[in-house]
Amino acid sequence: MKKTIIKSGTLITASDTFSADILIIDEKIAMIGKDLPEGDAEIINAQGKLVMPGGVDPHTHFDLPMFDTVTADDHYTGHKAAAFGGTTTALDFVPQESNSLRYSTDLWRQKANVKATIDFGFHMNISHYDDEVADEIPSLLEMGITSLKVFTAYNDRLRLQDGDIFKVLRIARANGFLTLLHAENGDVIEVLVNEALAAGNTTPIYHALTRPAWGAVDATLRAATLAAQAEAPIYIVHMNTAGEVDQLKYMREQGVPVMGETCTPYLFFTEDHLRRPDGAKWVCSPPMRTERDNRRLWEGLSGGIIQSLGTDHCSFFFNGSQPIEYEGKLVAIPGKELGADDFSKIPNGLPGVGDRLPIMWTYGVRAGRITPNQFVALTSTNPAKIFGLYPRKGTLTPGSDADIVIWDPDVKIKYGVSKAKHRTDYNLYENWELVGFPEKVFLRGHLIVDGEKWMGNAGMGKFLHRNPNAPLI
Ligand code: DUC
Ligand code: ZN
Ligand code: ZN
């Protein structure tokens, strides 16, 4: 039996801030209290430090094939970067293969199991719907999967028609799943992309200009009304526009069981970043919007309209023809340069799984936009609750997994690609000044990050069988 005491830290949970010791026995938090007897425990002094539950990222894409390439981070490198940024659980999306949902899930498990360094779970994309798929969805529960993602965009690839979304919602309701929705207007996007390319408008800004914000507003409202009609909960992923926040507020006020997530980049960047010569670095879907949208999203977070903050981590190299060094080896993976002459060929997605907590601490908490307790709620507790992981994950409480971050609130850091541990050649927050950063990170009681030292290893992350019928918050 291994005992560790994290001593005299300031604990921050979603609801409280207090000074206490934490006793960890093996992989669990055993006790929390003042001056716990030390006995034969290993003592870690956390005086002057903050102690928080490990982050839960509800939205990542690792090892995802896209546009003749694959994401730069896989389940090893992505998890490692997450850990250095204080995140100890990540929920990834399983693409639906044509064979079966079980086949698709098994494939993703095979990729992830051997590489995982933090705990992980899966959402299942439902991008093709028929009677066979309908019959198979309930069996996902046996595989530990309790959430389904549907799309109103990506015509002829991922999109479902409203009637099929409605049917998925009803199956979800009957079986205790939560449905996640990617909200954009696929029809409008298709028209605008074709027109832009025909007119020779090929630069990254056209990625944003061909995916108008109103499409996201419309799809969010439509999805919430479908959820209301199916009497099923729905969770809008990667909210990026002010209008979506307004729709979410309105529908929640009507008692519709709808929840929302935004992702870190939508709080800081605008479509002007896509006008830069290196604008491809900011190309993801949905795209960056305006400063007004940034502000409204912050209001959504601080005002309790939006429940969850993820990353939509889906990293690519900016220049995949130029190798970088990763763990002593040179690595180059084709990336954003694939769309140098055509914005529609730029792989969609951004690095960010490791950035989320440090960036939100300095530019959210220290900037006075959210409280430390909201920080924990949005980045850990709420995603754990929404996705059926609470109280195993997302809190500091006896019986919970000992996923713990000891946070140095005073350390000053110039952030960027060399500090973030993603396996890519750029970082969106290059040269941003940070105050406060994770110092030690524990995964189920195992110290996996100690300052700059990586102590985790591939395969130690466990697949999380999640509970259905998670609460609406
Ligand atoms: N958006 C991206 O930019 N990448 C992956 C999936 C998504 O929804
Ligand atoms: Zn999406
Ligand atoms: Zn995504």
Side-chain angles (χ1 to χ4, degrees), residues 92-112:
D92 210 58
F93 290 80
V94 180
Q96 183 186 6
E97 304 291 334
S98 54
N99 311 43
S100 73
L101 302 182
R102 178 170 287 279
Y103 174 85
S104 312
T105 305
D106 286 350
L107 207 65
W108 223 248
R109 280 290 296 274
Q110 278 162 28
K111 285 197 204 207

Side-chain angles (χ1 to χ4, degrees), residues 83 117-118 441-443 446-450 453-456 460:
T117 72
I118 61 172
V441 179
F442 295 84
L443 173 74
H446 306 282
L447 183 62
I448 55 171
V449 171
D450 191 4
K453 211 155 136 208
W454 174 232
M455 324 251 305
M460 74 184 290

Side-chain angles (χ1 to χ4, degrees), residues 59-61 93 149 182 237-238 285 312 314:
H59 193 149
T60 64
H61 303 275
F93 290 80
K149 184 181 180 191
H182 175 119
V237 294
H238 46 51
S285 295
D312 204 357
C314 185

Side-chain angles (χ1 to χ4, degrees), residues 431-470:
N431 291 325
W432 285 34
E433 305 280 351
L434 302 185
V435 181
F437 206 79
E439 185 179 280
K440 289 187 195 308
V441 179
F442 295 84
L443 173 74
R444 283 180 277 101
H446 306 282
L447 183 62
I448 55 171
V449 171
D450 191 4
E452 275 297 301
K453 211 155 136 208
W454 174 232
M455 324 251 305
N457 52 63
M460 74 184 290
K462 280 192 186 158
F463 179 74
L464 298 163
H465 281 258
R466 295 184 287 119
N467 298 322
N469 295 305

Side-chain angles (χ1 to χ4, degrees), residues 194-235:
N194 289 337
E195 283 177 3
L197 293 176
N201 295 325
T202 57
T203 56
I205 182 59
Y206 286 95
H207 174 77
L209 298 181
T210 55
R211 310 183 84 92
W214 284 115
V217 180
D218 146 57
T220 295
L221 179 62
R222 210 165 74 240
T225 60
L226 289 171
Q229 292 168 88
E231 298 177 16
I234 198 162
Y235 172 98

